[in-house]
Amino acid sequence: MVLYPLSDFIDCNSTISNLSPSYYYEGCCPQTGDRLRLPRTFLAEAIAYNLMQHLANNHLYSREGKMYGVLLVELSTGEKRVLKAFSGLLNGKSVVEGWVPPIPGRDEVALEEAQTLAELNAIKEELITLKHLPQWQQYESLCREFDQQLQIISDRHRHCKHQRHQKRQLICETLTGEALTAALEQLDTQSRQHKIERRQLKRQQNEVLQPLKQMIAATQVRIQELKQQRKALSCQLQAQMHAAYSLTNFSGTSLSLQQLIPTGLPTGTGDCCAPKLLHYAATHHLKPLAMAEFWWGSSSAKQDKIQGQFYGACIERCQPLMGFLLSGLKLNLGGEVNISIIYEDEWLIAVNKPAGLLSVPGRYRDRQDSVLSRLRNLLPDGMALATVHRLDQETSGILLLARDRLTHRQLSRQFQQRQVHKVYEAILAGAVNTEQGVIELPLWGDPQNRPYQQVDWQQGKPSVTHFRVVAREGGCTRVELTPLTGRTHQLRVHAADARGLGVTILGDRFYGCGAVADRLHLHARELCFEHPQLEKTLHLQAITPF
């Protein structure tokens, strides 16, 4: 079975909304040029979290790190089902019961792939042998020995030369005639003997090292030839696989990877979760509603992935295919969430940022949608806009932007000097006994695990939050949070850490919330600051949406 009932992953009576995108898989249709988008919603993430629990309970899935994905689809009857897939091979197998099968094509080149892999392995073994030949070490050892001997001779000759110089001065002052000539000739003979000694050592060095140098040069040529063979074989196999792999989109069009990207794609293209899931859905007449991909298992420094973290389409392998894969798919997403302006004048603008939208564009193409990019497209003076501060993507509420450099500099200074009064409202996924208080926990962000923050009394930066309980609602606690500092994830860590409130914010899966929720329940409700041009206090408010 590949199509799973939704009830296998979540409680179908839960109130999780499917129209709360936290990310979009997107690309341009090759025929029309239209931008096509498939969301990652909180419902898809909830399904993925359930799959993570299944992976955690089976040691077979912890042997190797890889991407996993789920796709929420709709049958022609309107019933919702779930597909799941893994990238590449799972414990050496491409076909595993219960998982979406690989894209057709690999079987067609299985024999060629096996032969090529055997050749590549033979090349690898020969390269290892050549790089570990004893002559390399022997040559280096002899070079060091001769260098040491030459240094000893050079030092001795330098000392003797200095002594001869002193003797020449002395005999020139004390001797004359034939005695002087004989004494000088004796000194010149010593000098010639030293030069002969040095030439003899260099000749000996050349006689000993030359055969080794010739052998090493031939070995280097062979190593270069093997590397070129390896590259040619890899490119040949890649071309064969890309020509055999056939993808189908939702308009019914089928093309090979080679036809889609004639310029070539990296090895492994077509084996990722997203193409597997979308191809299967298209060929089985299933309508995708939402998709989520995450990493599970160990990660190398090169992969730089965090277990349990969600990731978008990989830039090199999946993103170039996304436009074709989504072609023919008609999605009813209810439209993009709108940004409401709560205050604006000729110097600044304040908006109510919806949850799930970035404050500023991200690093990669698939993370360009943001408050700043939308306002720059909408407003006549949008290109001059700059954000004064930021809110997490999952956090909603007041975001302040400046319309000129002077205003931006003046407002930024107020934030830096802690002259801006900020009030947040949050729902905690549990009970808090204390009615109000102050949390002072220094925060430090591990550069190898960004943006995760943790309490660190040695390296952490001072972080202070005032809190007050507003209401208790069915096992949860509504609180008002006033940060005096503005550290990354400050409120989220101060809530979740046992030395703070000890209860995560509802929906904050990044810091361990296991409760079902359709968003992070954190909202920037109030912002109070001095208007740098009008010289008056502005007190902005945005109604909490939960």
Side-chain angles (χ1 to χ4, degrees):
M1 184 177 70
V2 175
L3 271 173
Y4 291 87
L6 185 59
S7 57
D8 284 4
F9 293 86
I10 64 168
D11 180 1
C12 292
N13 296 320
S14 67
T15 58
I16 299 178
S17 170
N18 192 43
L19 302 177
S20 303
S22 57
Y23 168 83
Y24 283 102
Y25 296 88
E26 60 183 350
C28 290
C29 176
Q31 284 74 38
T32 66
D34 294 337
R35 186 174 67 164
L36 306 171
R37 313 176 80 188
L38 178 67
R40 182 178 74 213
T41 64
F42 283 99
L43 178 55
E45 290 181 1
I47 294 169
Y49 277 116
N50 184 281
L51 178 57
M52 290 181 202
Q53 293 177 4
H54 171 70
L55 299 180
N57 292 329
N58 191 330
H59 72 280
L60 293 176
Y61 299 107
S62 60
R63 292 179 179 175
E64 54 182 347
K66 63 174 58 270
M67 292 293 293
Y68 292 85
V70 295
L71 180 66
L72 178 65
V73 297
E74 185 177 85
L75 307 184
S76 58
T77 60
E79 183 183 358
K80 292 181 176 61
R81 294 289 184 92
V82 176
L83 298 171
K84 60 180 185 178
F86 53 83
S87 63
L89 304 176
L90 184 58
N91 296 321
K93 297 180 180 179
S94 61
V95 179
V96 178
E97 184 180 356
W99 297 83
V100 166
I103 293 170
R106 195 182 190 103
D107 293 342
E108 297 178 19
V109 293
L111 181 60
E112 292 87 344
E113 181 183 8
Q115 292 174 342
T116 302
L117 290 176
E119 291 181 53
L120 289 172
N121 189 61
I123 290 174
K124 177 183 175 182
E125 293 299 324
E126 187 175 351
L127 283 171
I128 292 173
T129 300
L130 291 174
K131 289 178 180 179
H132 289 84
L133 286 174
Q135 286 86 345
W136 291 94
Q137 188 172 359
Q138 184 182 359
Y139 178 78
E140 293 177 0
S141 177
L142 288 171
C143 282
R144 285 194 298 269
E145 290 179 11
F146 279 113
D147 287 342
Q148 291 171 358
Q149 292 178 40
L150 279 171
Q151 186 63 47
I152 292 171
I153 289 177
S154 297
D155 292 342
R156 178 164 53 82
H157 288 179
R158 192 181 303 109
H159 178 68
C160 291
K161 183 178 180 180
H162 179 68
Q163 288 182 327
R164 287 197 302 272
H165 178 70
Q166 290 178 330
K167 287 180 180 179
R168 281 192 181 93
Q169 289 180 328
L170 180 61
I171 63 177
C172 286
E173 294 173 355
T174 58
L175 299 178
T176 59
E178 292 182 1
L180 174 61
T181 302
L184 290 175
E185 179 61 29
Q186 185 179 6
L187 292 176
D188 290 342
T189 300
Q190 291 178 1
S191 178
R192 287 193 294 271
Q193 288 175 344
H194 286 171
K195 291 179 180 178
I196 292 171
E197 182 183 11
R198 185 178 182 86
R199 284 197 298 270
Q200 287 177 339
L201 180 60
K202 286 195 171 183
R203 188 181 302 113
Q204 180 187 358
Q205 179 187 34
N206 185 60
E207 290 173 355
V208 172
L209 294 181
Q210 189 60 29
L212 289 173
K213 286 177 67 176
Q214 292 175 346
M215 189 282 301
I216 289 173
T219 301
Q220 289 174 327
V221 170
R222 178 56 180 164
I223 287 175
Q224 191 60 35
E225 290 175 351
L226 289 171
K227 287 183 176 180
Q228 291 174 350
Q229 288 180 26
R230 181 176 62 185
K231 182 177 180 180
L233 283 171
S234 296
C235 291
Q236 178 183 340
L237 177 60
Q238 181 177 313
Q240 290 173 328
M241 297 181 76
H242 287 171
Y245 271 50
S246 179
L247 292 171
T248 301
N249 63 21
F250 293 91
S251 62
T253 304
S254 296
L255 291 175
S256 69
L257 289 176
Q258 193 175 66
Q259 291 173 313
L260 283 169
I261 314 290
T263 55
L265 286 166
T267 302
T269 302
D271 287 332
C272 298
C273 299
K276 282 185 178 181
L277 290 166
L278 293 174
H279 171 85
Y280 187 91
T283 54
H284 289 78
H285 309 292
L286 306 170
K287 179 182 177 182
L289 301 177
M291 183 164 60
E293 294 178 288
F294 62 91
W295 182 268
W296 193 262
S298 59
S299 175
S300 67
K302 184 178 179 180
Q303 292 162 330
D304 192 26
K305 295 287 194 300
I306 301 172
Q307 179 169 288
Q309 183 95 345
F310 289 104
Y311 292 92
C314 57
I315 302 300
E316 294 181 344
R317 294 175 177 84
C318 292
Q319 193 57 51
L321 305 175
M322 205 53 64
F324 173 80
L325 287 168
L326 295 176
S327 294
L329 180 62
K330 300 185 184 301
L331 295 173
N332 180 19
L333 303 179
E336 293 181 340
V337 285
N338 295 319
I339 302 172
S340 59
I341 298 175
I342 56 180
Y343 176 88
E344 70 172 316
D345 56 32
E346 59 183 292
W347 299 284
L348 56 87
I349 182 170
V351 301
N352 186 5
K353 186 187 87 68
L357 183 64
L358 292 167
S359 296
V360 299
R363 180 178 178 183
Y364 299 110
R365 287 182 301 172
D366 59 343
R367 306 236 341 142
Q368 295 302 298
D369 189 22
S370 66
V371 172
L372 183 60
S373 55
R374 290 192 189 182
L375 291 178
R376 282 180 170 175
N377 290 327
L378 290 172
L379 301 177
D381 64 339
M383 294 310 298
L385 285 174
T387 53
V388 180
H389 64 121
R390 297 184 186 183
L391 296 177
D392 292 344
Q393 181 177 4
E394 299 87 353
T395 304
S396 59
I398 303 172
L399 184 68
L400 190 61
L401 303 95
R403 297 185 116 144
D404 59 71
R405 290 186 178 180
L406 177 60
T407 303
H408 182 268
R409 187 164 56 251
Q410 292 170 329
L411 288 171
S412 297
R413 187 180 301 117
Q414 289 190 46
F415 274 88
Q416 291 167 3
Q417 296 176 353
R418 302 178 186 175
Q419 296 172 344
V420 178
H421 182 67
K422 297 169 284 186
V423 179
Y424 289 73
E425 191 169 328
I427 294 180
L428 306 180
V432 175
N433 297 326
T434 309
E435 293 299 318
Q436 60 182 356
V438 180
I439 303 168
E440 296 186 59
L441 296 173
L443 300 182
W444 178 73
D446 185 348
Q448 305 301 320
N449 191 18
R450 293 179 177 174
Y452 185 82
Q453 303 290 310
Q454 62 189 37
V455 176
D456 191 306
W457 295 97
Q458 280 73 43
Q459 303 179 80
K461 295 181 180 180
S463 306
V464 183
T465 303
H466 287 226
F467 72 91
R468 181 176 68 87
V469 173
V470 176
R472 304 183 188 279
E473 306 166 353
C476 293
T477 308
R478 184 179 292 270
V479 294
E480 185 180 90
L481 303 169
T482 305
L484 300 189
T485 52
R487 311 298 180 200
T488 300
H489 291 185
Q490 175 176 321
L491 300 181
R492 299 167 68 170
V493 178
H494 280 187
D497 195 276
R499 291 158 291 187
L501 294 174
V503 183
T504 56
I505 296 175
L506 185 62
D508 192 359
R509 300 187 182 97
F510 198 59
Y511 289 100
C513 179
V516 175
D518 60 356
R519 60 158 291 177
L520 174 69
H521 285 63
L522 179 62
H523 178 72
R525 193 186 70 195
E526 299 178 40
L527 200 65
C528 188
F529 59 95
E530 291 297 316
H531 194 297
Q533 271 68 41
L534 299 180
E535 297 183 351
K536 68 175 185 179
T537 301
L538 284 185
H539 187 183
L540 306 178
Q541 298 185 60
I543 298 173
T544 303
F546 48 79

